[in-house]
């Protein structure tokens, strides 16, 4: 595996750095914190990020994505970390990965397109306790005529307060 990024990835990294330093420096995060902003991120900046295709980098082209890959995404995330950018990007990317790997065609067509276009924030609800364990999931999903009824609670859902949709980890048996 090459440890050097290619020219396209470097261009993405540089453009992300330039954008974030200009539009979302560390002072922007502090201002959001001090104002106790209800979303926790600047919606205008988020819209620009989605407009630049950041939410679509790992999504296949067949579902509205750029299929640029996780190394390219890593370049953006590195620059976001450098500026302490608040956004639901990581939550959306995690959800897109889950949908792409475990969803059926109808789910992929609907939800991956929504994430790629920035029309929806989709998050995952996984944690129930301080430490996650695949053998200790108590949230249940019981089938009924209209779908499933969820029973249980999750202790921490990153960006859950701004989500349009939630992917909930639950047991069916």
């Amino acid at each position: 595996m090459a440890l050097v990024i290619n020219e396209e990835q470097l261009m993405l990294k540089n453009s992300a750095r330039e954008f974030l330093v200009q539009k979302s420096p560390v002072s922007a995060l502090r201002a959001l914190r001090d104002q106790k902003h209800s979303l926790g991120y600047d919606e205008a900046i988020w819209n620009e990020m989605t407009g630049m295709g950041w939410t679509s980098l790992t999504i296949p082209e067949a579902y509205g994505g750029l299929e640029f890959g996780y190394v390219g995404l890593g370049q953006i995330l590195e620059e976001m970390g450098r500026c302490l950018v608040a956004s639901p990007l990581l939550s959306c990317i995690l959800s897109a990965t889950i949908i792409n790997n475990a969803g059926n065609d109808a789910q992929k067509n609907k939800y991956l397109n929504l994430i790629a276009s920035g029309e929806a924030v989709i998050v995952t609800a996984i944690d129930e306790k301080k430490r996650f364990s695949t053998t200790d999931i108590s949230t249940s999903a019981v089938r009924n005529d209209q779908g499933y009824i969820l029973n249980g609670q999750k202790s921490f859902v990153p960006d859950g307060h701004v989500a349009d949709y939630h992917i909930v980890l639950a047991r069916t048996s």
Side-chain angles (χ1 to χ4, degrees):
M1 178 169 96
L3 297 176
V4 178
I5 60 175
N6 66 33
E7 189 175 328
E8 287 179 327
Q9 294 161 341
L10 181 60
M11 287 173 50
L12 179 62
K13 179 183 188 69
N14 291 336
S15 69
R17 177 180 292 166
E18 186 177 305
F19 171 77
L20 294 170
V21 165
Q22 180 183 39
K23 300 276 188 151
S24 192
V26 175
S27 60
L29 176 68
R30 291 183 181 129
L32 289 169
R33 177 202 62 201
D34 294 345
Q35 297 166 5
K36 297 186 184 343
H37 195 276
S38 63
L39 292 179
Y41 64 91
D42 184 319
E43 198 167 19
I45 299 297
W46 172 244
N47 289 334
E48 287 187 61
M49 293 163 99
T50 62
M52 290 186 289
W54 290 7
T55 52
S56 66
L57 287 174
T58 61
I59 296 173
E61 289 180 17
Y63 303 110
L66 296 173
E67 204 165 341
F68 196 74
Y70 290 95
V71 174
L73 172 65
Q75 306 315 303
I76 289 174
L77 294 175
E78 182 178 342
E79 295 308 320
M80 289 177 67
R82 185 182 316 276
C83 292
L84 301 179
V85 177
S87 83
L89 181 63
L90 195 55
S91 295
C92 287
I93 295 296
L94 175 59
S95 297
T97 300
I98 292 169
I99 294 165
N100 192 43
N101 289 323
N104 60 36
D105 285 337
Q107 291 166 331
K108 289 178 184 181
N109 278 315
K110 178 178 181 178
Y111 299 111
L112 291 179
N113 276 296
L114 289 173
I115 293 170
S117 67
E119 293 176 61
V121 172
I122 302 178
V123 302
T124 56
I126 297 173
D127 297 325
E128 295 179 359
K129 297 180 178 152
K130 290 180 183 177
R131 290 182 177 239
F132 176 73
S133 169
T134 57
T135 60
D136 195 17
I137 299 166
S138 60
T139 301
S140 65
V142 179
R143 193 181 239 329
N144 69 13
D145 295 342
Q146 299 167 332
Y148 286 90
I149 301 284
L150 291 171
N151 296 300
Q153 69 180 35
K154 300 297 182 180
S155 62
F156 179 63
V157 182
D159 302 308
H161 68 294
V162 296
D164 298 296
Y165 299 94
H166 293 77
I167 297 172
V168 179
L169 181 63
R171 293 195 178 277
T172 56
S173 61

